[in-house]
Amino acid sequence: MSSEIFTKSMARNIYYGGSLFFILLFLALTFDTGSALPNRDHRENLTPEVIKGKAVWEENNCIGCHTILGEGAYYAPELGNVYLRRGGDQGGTDFIKAWIKAMPTGAPGRRQMPQFNLTDEELNAIAAFLKWTSQINTANWPPNREG
């Protein structure tokens, strides 16, 4: 009967054992992610234009409404694969630039994006950034094409 009693010593061992297990799991997953990222993010394709596009993205707080690769606000669509969704190499850049220039559309019942009055250089940069982002191996994230 006394062998079925849950003692403080048993609780402490479960606590320390469980903590050690999850710390080791966390370290293993962190190491795995750190090892896999260089092969998946195609950082070798970063260009000055892509870097400028990221700066435009940040300066205009695009992440305040959109998500990119699952990070950001969920007010507006995910943009991690917008380049591919809107034509890819057969028009993705032109679509992104035209879409941003056309805002706000005034379409009834739709959320409206503000007009940022971006220059052609900034529009090309943001399109390059979104193209680069769409080429990251995200292990099929987002789970559906529209994000």
Side-chain angles (χ1 to χ4, degrees), residues 34-85:
S35 300
L37 275 180
N39 299 325
R40 296 176 69 183
D41 64 8
H42 70 97
R43 61 186 70 176
E44 68 279 1
N45 295 335
L46 280 173
T47 63
E49 189 174 40
V50 170
I51 294 168
K52 180 172 177 57
K54 174 77 162 62
V56 171
W57 171 269
E58 292 173 348
E59 289 164 7
N60 291 286
N61 191 29
C62 299
I63 205 163
C65 294
H66 293 277
T67 55
I68 193 159
L69 306 179
E71 293 289 328
Y74 288 87
Y75 181 74
E78 159 70 33
L79 295 182
N81 63 0
V82 68
Y83 177 80
L84 298 175
R85 286 194 325 250

Side-chain angles (χ1 to χ4, degrees), residues 105-116:
T105 62
R110 295 201 56 150
R111 295 177 183 159
Q112 299 295 305
M113 187 169 127
Q115 177 53 255
F116 291 104

Side-chain angles (χ1 to χ4, degrees), residues 107-139:
R110 295 201 56 150
R111 295 177 183 159
Q112 299 295 305
M113 187 169 127
Q115 177 53 255
F116 291 104
N117 297 311
L118 300 178
T119 65
D120 285 340
E121 181 184 1
E122 291 170 324
L123 288 168
N124 286 330
I126 196 83
F129 171 65
L130 293 173
K131 177 182 179 182
W132 179 84
T133 303
S134 74
Q135 295 168 337
I136 293 174
N137 178 356
T138 60

